[in-house]
Amino acid sequence: MELYDTVIIGGGPAGLSAGIYAARAQLKLVLLEKLAPGGQIAVTELVENYPGFPDGVMGAELASQMEAQARKFALPIESAEVRSVTVEGDIKIVKTDKAEYRARTLIVASGTNPRRLGIPGEMKYLGRGVSTCATCDAPLYRGRTVAVVGGGDSAIQEALFIAKFVDKCYVIHRRDELRAQKILQDRALAEPKIEFVWNSTVPRIVGDEGVTEVRVTNKLTGDESGLTVDGVFIFVGLLPNIDFLDGMIEADEKGFLLADQNMETNIPGIYAAGDVRSKILRQVATAVSDGATAAFDLEKHLD
Amino acid sequence: MELYDTVIIGGGPAGLSAGIYAARAQLKLVLLEKLAPGGQIAVTELVENYPGFPDGVMGAELASQMEAQARKFALPIESAEVRSVTVEGDIKIVKTDKAEYRARTLIVASGTNPRRLGIPGEMKYLGRGVSTCATCDAPLYRGRTVAVVGGGDSAIQEALFIAKFVDKCYVIHRRDELRAQKILQDRALAEPKIEFVWNSTVPRIVGDEGVTEVRVTNKLTGDESGLTVDGVFIFVGLLPNIDFLDGMIEADEKGFLLADQNMETNIPGIYAAGDVRSKILRQVATAVSDGATAAFDLEKHLD
């Protein structure tokens, strides 16, 4: 069986950047991606702060540019979902739904998935009124009323995007102030279509064929009430995609993978890059750096 | 006197990225740059591996795009050379050739300068046959013969660029193999205008009005000989721009600043970002990440 210099798991900015660097360095490698390359940016409307694009760049466009750049350096990209990773001596074995790969090093750039609230109605109406992707679904709610749950950067960014389409957007947040960056807060507070519902949690989502109401509990009074809505967008954080690792790599208390400054994890030759890694800032700018650094550092294992 | 949230020293990719993030977060800040913004990329011909540009991007163009993006978020950029940094309690005081700034945090993104060989003729002919910038000077040697001293990535990258103009380019390297990435090595070895001079050092550069000869010592035999050249390009490494810090920040054995994963140095509220930081990979991709991370992390000092 072929022995790869490296296998990259995940085709978002971190994986593609690792692929650009490793393919340009003429390593023998493959990138595995279960969906289309691009990761989270493929479903991001506008990336405003990746340096080099003064007017911002559409997320899907940036994803396709990065993919084109990787393919120009002849990066092989295979469509496959990783099921497990095991280690035999110095060799890493990656099993997907289709095949098995043996490699001397491994870059885990598998990204994150949206965290769920775990409340009644959430899964029942997912795709029928409940969404975790404004870019995908906001245009479906033109002229209607929706609720956003969350108060961080992505919640507020998405609420601002949703407000372009809907007539009214509630933002339900469990505290009395936002965690989002000030520039996003200011924009949201100035947007007349957005109405904040502070100090509140969501005990359940109610509907018939689709969503009709979101229930809201005021944390200060304990009172429960209902808001009539056509859709609910949930942005309450991210969970790292690490199931296939079965706990083999050291992680922080939220499950994000711990790595050193060169992106190497506790297992020699296994790297973590991008949003799946434990770090303070998850952005395209930090993802591409993680990927490039991992691809560069792993060469020490190949000598 | 005004108290800034942060002062950014240096306008290369790390400083501009920090500026984009900090200005977008509506911090009170200023970026100080002694030359034009852009740093090393402003004198780099083509940046091939910054993710997002499938056909590569001219260094000067990328620099100007980053500057435009920073200015769009209203980043103030001042032309000034930093002379000293001191700390009074929680306040950082930055003195330039023109003014003094007081800030709650500081991002040092001052980059690097080319290392010198320290041989006779080097400084005498600097700008008259001796160069450390192929982008700047290679077109002046169209149809002539030059020597490159060095064997790392930048030496080989620059030699390949120089070969587009000159008739012949010697590459003088002290070892019998290159340290440069394999893709660059392969290209250089395949370039007929490039001739390698292995196991050799340069004891002095000889000339009259300009450079006429580079002296070469073979390390294996001890023999000294001369190569007739019209110019000498020196690429033997980088020195961090840290003089103005007067040793106040912990550094590695080469003088590059030590920082944690959030880019903070041993002095709380002082950050290091970009090429001046101790790290394994100095690239645009890693610089922008350093800058963004520093700008994000410093907000914890502002509460």
Side-chain angles (χ1 to χ4, degrees):
Chain A
M1 188 181 281
E2 278 187 310
L3 182 61
Y4 289 88
D5 291 326
T6 195
V7 168
I8 301 168
I9 300 176
L16 289 173
S17 178
I20 288 167
Y21 272 79
R24 190 162 177 271
Q26 301 180 327
L27 303 186
K28 179 167 176 48
L29 84 165
V30 60
L31 183 151
L32 307 174
E33 165 61 47
K34 65 180 170 183
L35 305 168
Q40 284 298 311
I41 57 166
V43 292
T44 300
E45 195 206 11
L46 183 71
V47 176
E48 217 177 29
N49 48 12
Y50 182 53
F53 297 87
D55 302 317
V57 53
M58 304 305 284
E61 169 68 9
L62 183 56
S64 104
Q65 297 283 73
M66 288 188 184
E67 183 187 350
Q69 193 170 355
R71 290 195 188 272
K72 195 183 133 199
F73 291 118
L75 174 70
I77 300 178
E78 287 179 24
S79 179
E81 180 164 2
V82 173
R83 293 285 161 79
S84 73
V85 171
T86 49
V87 175
E88 276 180 18
D90 289 342
I91 307 301
K92 286 79 187 169
I93 299 157
V94 178
K95 285 196 181 127
T96 72
D97 51 343
K98 293 171 188 155
E100 184 177 310
Y101 302 85
R102 297 169 67 85
R104 297 168 71 190
T105 67
L106 179 65
I107 300 176
V108 180
S110 48
T112 59
N113 259 320
R115 200 162 76 80
R116 310 262 174 233
L117 289 170
I119 54 168
E122 182 182 28
M123 295 312 289
K124 179 174 176 188
Y125 293 109
L126 192 65
R128 292 186 299 148
V130 171
S131 172
T132 56
C133 176
T135 314
C136 316
D137 298 329
L140 306 175
Y141 294 91
R142 204 176 289 273
R144 308 179 76 177
T145 297
V146 302
V148 162
V149 185
D153 274 3
S154 58
I156 301 309
Q157 205 150 24
E158 300 289 42
L160 286 163
F161 178 71
I162 291 165
K164 294 184 193 176
F165 301 92
V166 301
D167 269 4
K168 185 174 192 72
C169 176
Y170 297 104
V171 175
I172 304 167
H173 185 43
R174 59 189 166 154
R175 301 178 205 201
D176 61 357
E177 57 178 12
L178 297 173
R179 280 177 298 115
Q181 299 171 57
K182 196 167 177 315
I183 190 169
L184 294 173
Q185 293 193 26
D186 290 351
R187 288 184 194 166
L189 294 166
E191 168 56 61
K193 287 183 185 171
I194 292 180
E195 180 179 331
F196 285 92
V197 182
W198 301 109
N199 295 308
S200 297
T201 56
V202 174
R204 70 183 188 283
I205 294 164
V206 181
D208 40 41
E209 289 307 297
V211 168
T212 57
E213 186 187 24
V214 58
R215 301 297 297 175
V216 174
T217 304
N218 185 301
K219 285 173 66 185
L220 305 180
T221 62
D223 292 346
E224 187 178 315
S225 59
L227 296 170
T228 301
V229 295
D230 304 298
V232 180
F233 288 83
I234 300 170
F235 307 112
V236 290
L238 299 169
L239 292 175
N241 292 326
I242 50 163
D243 287 352
F244 60 89
L245 294 169
D246 199 25
M248 70 190 292
I249 296 176
E250 284 176 11
D252 67 18
E253 70 284 358
K254 288 183 176 168
F256 292 96
L257 303 180
L258 293 169
D260 65 17
Q261 289 211 7
N262 301 342
M263 308 303 139
E264 196 165 14
T265 68
N266 62 303
I267 302 182
I270 299 190
Y271 292 80
D275 286 2
V276 78
R277 183 169 79 88
S278 179
K279 57 180 177 177
I280 58 161
L281 184 63
R282 292 189 170 81
Q283 293 275 290
V284 181
T286 60
V288 297
S289 176
D290 287 6
T293 300
F296 182 79
D297 191 67
L298 67 79
E299 293 207 46
K300 77 182 182 212
H301 289 281
L302 305 181
D303 289 335
Chain B
M1 186 181 282
E2 277 187 311
L3 182 61
Y4 289 88
D5 291 327
T6 194
V7 169
I8 300 168
I9 300 176
L16 288 173
S17 178
I20 288 166
Y21 272 80
R24 189 163 178 271
Q26 301 180 328
L27 302 187
K28 179 165 175 51
L29 84 164
V30 61
L31 183 150
L32 308 174
E33 165 61 46
K34 65 180 169 182
L35 304 168
Q40 285 297 311
I41 57 167
V43 291
T44 300
E45 195 206 11
L46 183 70
V47 177
E48 219 177 28
N49 49 12
Y50 182 54
F53 297 88
D55 303 316
V57 54
M58 302 306 283
E61 169 68 11
L62 183 57
S64 104
Q65 296 282 74
M66 287 187 185
E67 182 187 350
Q69 192 170 356
R71 290 195 189 273
K72 196 184 130 197
F73 292 117
L75 173 70
I77 299 178
E78 288 180 24
S79 180
E81 179 163 4
V82 174
R83 292 286 162 78
S84 72
V85 171
T86 49
V87 175
E88 277 180 18
D90 289 342
I91 306 301
K92 286 80 188 170
I93 299 157
V94 179
K95 285 195 180 128
T96 73
D97 52 343
K98 294 172 187 153
E100 184 177 309
Y101 303 85
R102 297 170 65 86
R104 298 169 71 190
T105 67
L106 179 65
I107 298 175
V108 179
S110 49
T112 59
N113 259 320
R115 200 162 76 79
R116 309 262 174 235
L117 289 170
I119 55 168
E122 183 181 28
M123 294 312 288
K124 181 175 176 188
Y125 293 109
L126 192 65
R128 293 186 297 147
V130 172
S131 171
T132 55
C133 177
T135 314
C136 316
D137 298 328
L140 306 175
Y141 294 92
R142 205 176 290 271
R144 307 180 77 178
T145 296
V146 302
V148 162
V149 185
D153 274 2
S154 59
I156 301 309
Q157 204 149 24
E158 302 289 40
L160 286 163
F161 178 70
I162 291 165
K164 293 184 193 177
F165 301 93
V166 300
D167 269 3
K168 187 173 188 71
C169 177
Y170 297 104
V171 175
I172 304 167
H173 185 44
R174 59 188 166 154
R175 302 180 203 195
D176 61 357
E177 58 176 14
L178 299 173
R179 279 179 298 116
Q181 299 171 56
K182 196 165 177 318
I183 190 170
L184 295 173
Q185 294 194 25
D186 289 351
R187 288 185 195 166
L189 294 166
E191 169 55 61
K193 287 183 184 170
I194 293 180
E195 180 179 333
F196 285 92
V197 184
W198 300 109
N199 295 307
S200 298
T201 57
V202 175
R204 69 183 189 282
I205 294 164
V206 181
D208 41 41
E209 288 306 297
V211 168
T212 57
E213 186 187 26
V214 59
R215 301 296 296 173
V216 174
T217 304
N218 184 300
K219 287 174 66 185
L220 305 180
T221 64
D223 293 346
E224 187 178 314
S225 58
L227 295 170
T228 302
V229 296
D230 304 299
V232 180
F233 289 83
I234 299 170
F235 307 111
V236 291
L238 300 169
L239 291 175
N241 291 326
I242 51 164
D243 286 353
F244 60 90
L245 294 170
D246 199 24
M248 71 190 292
I249 295 176
E250 285 176 10
D252 66 20
E253 71 283 358
K254 291 184 175 167
F256 293 96
L257 305 179
L258 294 169
D260 66 16
Q261 289 212 6
N262 302 342
M263 307 304 138
E264 196 164 13
T265 68
N266 61 303
I267 302 182
I270 300 190
Y271 292 80
D275 285 2
V276 78
R277 182 169 80 88
S278 179
K279 57 180 177 176
I280 57 161
L281 184 63
R282 292 190 169 80
Q283 294 275 288
V284 181
T286 60
V288 298
S289 176
D290 286 7
T293 300
F296 182 80
D297 192 66
L298 67 79
E299 293 207 45
K300 77 183 180 210
H301 290 279
L302 306 179
D303 290 335

